[in-house]
């Protein structure tokens, strides 16, 4: 009942549009579980039954701007932008439940906040994976806003959503964001996906037969957006509600209350959706990033329901063919509804759906709704031990670099400032830490001793205080440079026991006490401890 197909994968995400209009007031219903973040807002605001909260506490750095476009909806009246050209990425970090599934949606409306005429182009990153390029010029020119969605499983206790400059980001422009949503999904949703290795970025989600309607919360308890889709085929109204809990993906009953059909004995043809623009964006993104071309794979889910009053005759049987390939044979659709999906399906250009009725089917085929997702291979992970160590180090600094949020190593071009990583077997490890003359103050956390793969620690020329932390387990460390800080206490004896150490620079601190004899006797090491300390020679 659920065909599965295998092809090679790559990824892109097309943007969807919704007009600047106030949505209908929500009926009394519990708000969707998760976080609804109104970027740049000063206070919490209830919008259509959903409490939107300010972004304070989720992000470090960036500036806030008001948008004064006439008639703009409240959610788009503020944004946060990131003008720091030195930041490798700017991240929102959200607390989640490890292993659970989430829909992440980013919303963008430029509003000319920086005085320019066109929105900037930039990348967005989720955890360690480059998700897509944000390019909203055509939408903005048409008075439209843009949104991007991706379905992910939390690999840790946080999810990071980051914005980053790319080769197409103008030097005078800044990445920006209007709203961010992280919505908790049921664990059955999109169940055939291996979320340990892949995510699903939204390409299309439509309710067929609906005209000029936009289904979302409260009709969809997860606040997914179901756009209307209508063509020249006849439209039918359904006379019974489905129970969304009977479907893995929990489609809202409202999305299935209409459908497209045709006469008895005829094939039903639907061309859905137009993906040519998305393919063009994919090629442009690859050229910009100089990445090799790979064949794309998609998750495709289709939803069906017999529209007639429930009875023993309320059924219809037909075959489903996608782009000339059999998707499902002998599908039996009743008033209770049915879903079929392909978890690895090749698509390009227009998606042609052909429904061919069985010879004894009493009525023609019908289709009610559909979803398409690009299958996104995840970009690897930084070892949890290293992530936790780097996060503790960041907290021990009173003024860490502004891009020290999200994954420390990935994507590799967007690692934290001063951090260099090695990637082996799908895991990234912190190999070098170079914050020389960064003006960092605070203390150096003991967690630096947990970076077991690190080779170089260069922190000279800052204002670090406190004692030199325990680093006796750093068997790969070859160079330790802590000169010209405000470190106090004695020189620890463990430094002599580091098997690969070649350089130790500690001059111009406030160290005192005896120099360990084992360190004095160690050969093949460049040891610099003066001037500036009060050591017993």
């Amino acid at each position: 009942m659920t065909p599965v197909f295998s092809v090679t994968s790559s990824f892109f995400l097309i943007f969807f549009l919704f007009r600047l209009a106030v949505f209908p007031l929500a009926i009394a219903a519990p708000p969707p579980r998760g976080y609804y973040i109104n970027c740049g807002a000063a206070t919490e605001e209830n919008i259509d039954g959903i409490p939107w909260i300010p972004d304070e506490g989720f992000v470090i750095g960036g500036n806030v701007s008001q948008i004064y476009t006439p008639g703009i909806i409240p959610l788009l009246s503020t944004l946060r932008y990131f003008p720091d050209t030195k930041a490798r990425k700017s991240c929102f970090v959200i607390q989640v439940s490890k292993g659970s599934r989430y829909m992440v949606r980013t919303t963008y409306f430029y509003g000319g906040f920086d005085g320019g005429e066109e929105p900037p182009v930039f990348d967005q990153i989720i955890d360690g994976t480059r998700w897509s390029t944000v390019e909203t010029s055509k939408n903005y020119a048409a008075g439209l806003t843009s949104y991007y969605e991706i379905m992910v499983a939390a690999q840790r206790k946080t999810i990071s959503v980051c914005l980053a400059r790319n080769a197409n980001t103008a030097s005078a422009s800044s990445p920006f964001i209007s709203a961010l949503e992280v919505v908790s999904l049921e664990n059955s949703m999109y169940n055939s996906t291996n979320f340990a290795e892949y995510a699903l970025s939204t390409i299309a989600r439509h309710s067929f037969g609906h005209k000029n309607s936009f289904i979302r919360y409260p009709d969809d308890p997860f606040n997914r957006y179901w756009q209307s889709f209508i063509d020249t085929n006849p439209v039918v109204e359904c006379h019974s509600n489905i129970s969304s809990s009977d479907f893995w993906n929990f489609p809202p009953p409202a999305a299935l209350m209409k459908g497209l059909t045709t006469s008895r004995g005829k094939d039903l043809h639907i061309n859905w959706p137009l993906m040519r623009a998305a393919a063009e964006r994919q090629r442009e993104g690859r050229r910009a990033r100089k990445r090799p071309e790979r064949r794309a794979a998609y998750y495709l889910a289709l939803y069906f329901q017999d529209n007639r009053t429930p009875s023993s005759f309320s059924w219809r049987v037909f075959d489903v063919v996608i782009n000339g390939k059999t998707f499902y044979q002998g599908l039996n659709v009743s008033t209770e509804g049915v879903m079929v999906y392909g978890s690895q399906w090749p698509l390009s250009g227009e998606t042609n759906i052909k429904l061919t009725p069985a010879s004894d089917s009493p009525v023609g085929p019908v289709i009610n709704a559909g979803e398409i997702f690009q299958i996104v291979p995840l970009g690897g992970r930084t070892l949890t031990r290293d992530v936790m160590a780097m996060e503790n180090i960041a907290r021990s600094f009173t003024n860490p670099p502004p891009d020290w949020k999200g994954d420390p190593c990935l994507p590799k071009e967007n690692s934290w400032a001063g951090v260099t990583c090695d990637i082996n077997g799908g895991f990234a490890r912190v190999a070098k830490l170079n914050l020389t003359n960064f003006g960092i103050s605070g203390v150096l956390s003991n967690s630096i001793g947990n970076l077991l793969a690190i080779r170089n620690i260069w922190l000279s020329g800052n204002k670090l205080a406190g004692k030199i932390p325990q680093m006796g387990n750093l068997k790969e460390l070859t160079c330790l440079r802590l000169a010209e800080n405000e470190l106090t206490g004695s020189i620890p004896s463990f430094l002599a026991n580091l098997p690969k150490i070649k350089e130790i620079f500690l001059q111009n601190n406030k160290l005192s006490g005896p120099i360990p004899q084992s360190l004095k006797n160690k050969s093949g090491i460049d040891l610099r401890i003066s001037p500036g300390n009060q050591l017993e020679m």
Side-chain angles (χ1 to χ4, degrees):
M1 189 170 178
T2 50
V4 177
F5 310 91
S6 297
V7 296
T8 56
S9 304
S10 66
F11 75 93
F12 65 89
L13 179 68
I14 65 173
F15 52 81
F16 291 111
L17 322 173
F18 59 92
R19 295 189 180 277
L20 298 176
V22 178
F23 294 115
L25 292 176
I27 62 173
R33 298 172 299 173
Y35 295 89
Y36 290 79
I37 301 171
N38 189 355
C39 299
T43 59
E44 180 176 327
E45 185 171 4
N46 190 293
I47 302 174
D48 299 327
I50 297 176
W52 288 85
I53 59 177
D55 58 9
E56 183 179 357
F58 296 101
V59 64
I60 294 177
N63 298 336
V64 171
S65 180
Q66 296 283 332
I67 302 300
Y68 297 103
T69 302
I72 195 169
I73 62 176
L75 183 61
L76 304 177
S77 62
T78 61
L79 58 78
R80 183 172 292 274
Y81 67 98
F82 302 92
D84 188 349
T85 58
K86 295 181 180 179
R88 297 182 180 179
K89 59 187 173 187
S90 301
C91 299
F92 294 78
V93 178
I94 297 93
Q95 297 287 329
V96 293
S97 176
K98 182 179 179 180
S100 295
R101 297 174 190 176
Y102 295 87
M103 179 187 73
V104 177
R105 181 161 54 221
T106 54
T107 301
Y108 300 95
F109 183 73
Y110 173 54
F113 74 89
D114 57 0
E117 295 182 357
E118 288 194 356
V121 178
F122 51 92
D123 288 341
Q124 53 185 1
I125 298 164
I126 187 158
D127 290 333
T129 298
R130 193 176 309 281
W131 167 11
S132 63
T133 295
V134 176
E135 207 295 310
T136 65
S137 296
K138 291 182 180 179
N139 298 358
Y140 179 66
L144 301 170
T145 185
S146 308
Y147 69 86
Y148 297 70
E149 279 182 8
I150 193 165
M151 311 294 174
V152 296
Q155 305 298 320
R156 302 189 179 94
K157 294 181 179 180
T158 61
I159 285 177
S160 63
V161 181
C162 310
L163 310 180
R165 296 170 181 272
N166 61 30
N168 295 316
T169 308
S171 58
S173 63
S174 304
F176 73 96
I177 185 169
S178 303
L180 170 63
E181 300 163 66
V182 179
V183 183
S184 178
L185 303 176
E186 296 293 338
N187 285 334
S188 70
M189 295 174 72
Y190 311 108
N191 214 17
S192 64
T193 305
N194 180 2
F195 281 103
E197 297 183 9
Y198 301 98
L200 299 176
S201 60
T202 306
I203 298 296
R205 183 184 295 113
H206 286 89
S207 53
F208 298 130
H210 290 257
K211 183 179 182 180
N212 300 325
S213 64
F214 193 85
I215 297 170
R216 48 159 291 186
Y217 174 81
D219 291 310
D220 189 315
F222 308 101
N223 200 31
R224 290 169 297 182
Y225 295 161
W226 298 78
Q227 294 181 294
S228 59
F229 181 94
I230 196 164
D231 59 12
T232 58
N233 288 300
V235 175
V236 292
E237 299 272 353
C238 294
H239 292 92
S240 61
N241 281 327
I242 58 100
S243 175
S244 63
S245 61
D246 292 338
F247 296 78
W248 283 357
N249 296 346
F250 287 80
L256 274 67
M257 288 309 295
K258 292 186 178 182
L260 297 178
T261 190
T262 190
S263 303
R264 177 181 178 180
K266 291 185 177 180
D267 292 347
L268 175 61
H269 292 272
I270 297 172
N271 293 322
W272 165 80
L274 290 173
M275 296 176 61
R276 190 172 296 107
E280 291 173 355
R281 289 188 63 210
Q282 180 188 37
R283 289 193 292 271
E284 291 171 0
R286 285 183 180 138
R287 284 196 294 269
R289 294 189 293 271
K290 296 182 180 180
R291 292 183 176 179
E293 182 112 1
R294 294 184 297 172
R295 193 179 181 190
Y298 299 84
Y299 177 105
L300 174 61
L302 302 176
Y303 306 93
F304 307 88
Q305 182 191 15
D306 191 291
N307 63 291
R308 295 169 294 167
T309 302
S311 73
S312 57
F313 300 100
S314 301
W315 58 271
R316 58 186 83 200
V317 177
F318 49 86
D319 295 339
V320 182
V321 175
I322 306 293
N323 291 348
K325 295 184 178 181
T326 299
F327 192 76
Y328 196 94
Q329 286 186 316
L331 181 65
N332 192 330
V333 175
S334 69
T335 55
E336 295 180 354
V338 65
M339 177 191 84
V340 294
Y341 71 92
S343 61
Q344 294 276 338
W345 191 261
L347 296 174
S348 61
E350 220 169 43
T351 301
N352 178 264
I353 301 174
K354 184 176 77 169
L355 308 180
T356 301
S359 58
D360 59 346
S361 186
V363 288
V366 67
I367 186 169
N368 302 77
E371 296 181 278
I372 297 178
F373 299 91
Q374 178 82 40
I375 298 175
V376 180
L378 299 181
R381 295 172 56 191
T382 300
L383 194 72
T384 300
R385 181 190 187 106
D386 284 19
V387 173
M388 295 176 63
M390 291 302 299
E391 289 176 344
N392 287 336
I393 293 169
R395 282 190 287 267
S396 72
F397 294 158
T398 57
N399 56 337
D403 56 9
W404 273 37
K405 288 288 246 182
D407 193 292
C409 293
L410 299 171
K412 195 169 185 178
E413 315 89 80
N414 302 101
S415 64
W416 289 4
V419 176
T420 302
C421 302
D422 294 335
I423 302 177
N424 296 304
F427 283 98
R429 304 296 306 274
V430 176
K432 298 178 182 179
L433 178 57
N434 183 1
L435 294 179
T436 304
N437 297 322
F438 259 70
I440 299 295
S441 58
V443 299
L444 189 54
S445 170
N446 285 324
S447 292
I448 200 168
N450 293 329
L451 297 174
L452 300 185
I454 199 164
R455 298 189 296 272
N456 294 338
I457 299 174
W458 294 353
L459 298 174
S460 295
N462 291 293
K463 298 179 180 180
L464 294 173
K467 297 181 178 181
I468 297 174
Q470 172 58 244
M471 291 182 276
N473 292 327
L474 303 185
K475 306 302 182 183
E476 301 299 319
L477 189 64
T478 62
C479 183
L480 177 65
R481 297 182 181 180
L482 301 176
E484 300 171 0
N485 279 286
E486 299 175 2
L487 299 171
T488 57
S490 59
I491 298 177
S493 59
F494 71 76
L495 294 176
N497 299 324
L498 298 175
K500 295 185 179 181
I501 196 71
K502 299 296 181 184
E503 293 181 356
I504 300 177
F505 295 177
L506 301 175
Q507 67 270 31
N508 293 318
N509 276 286
K510 298 179 181 179
L511 300 171
S512 60
I515 302 171
Q517 191 64 39
S518 56
L519 194 57
K520 289 182 180 181
N521 296 338
K522 190 174 181 67
S523 60
I525 183 173
D526 184 0
L527 177 63
R528 303 183 190 184
I529 57 176
S530 63
N533 295 306
Q534 298 179 349
L535 299 169
E536 299 174 15
M537 305 301 288

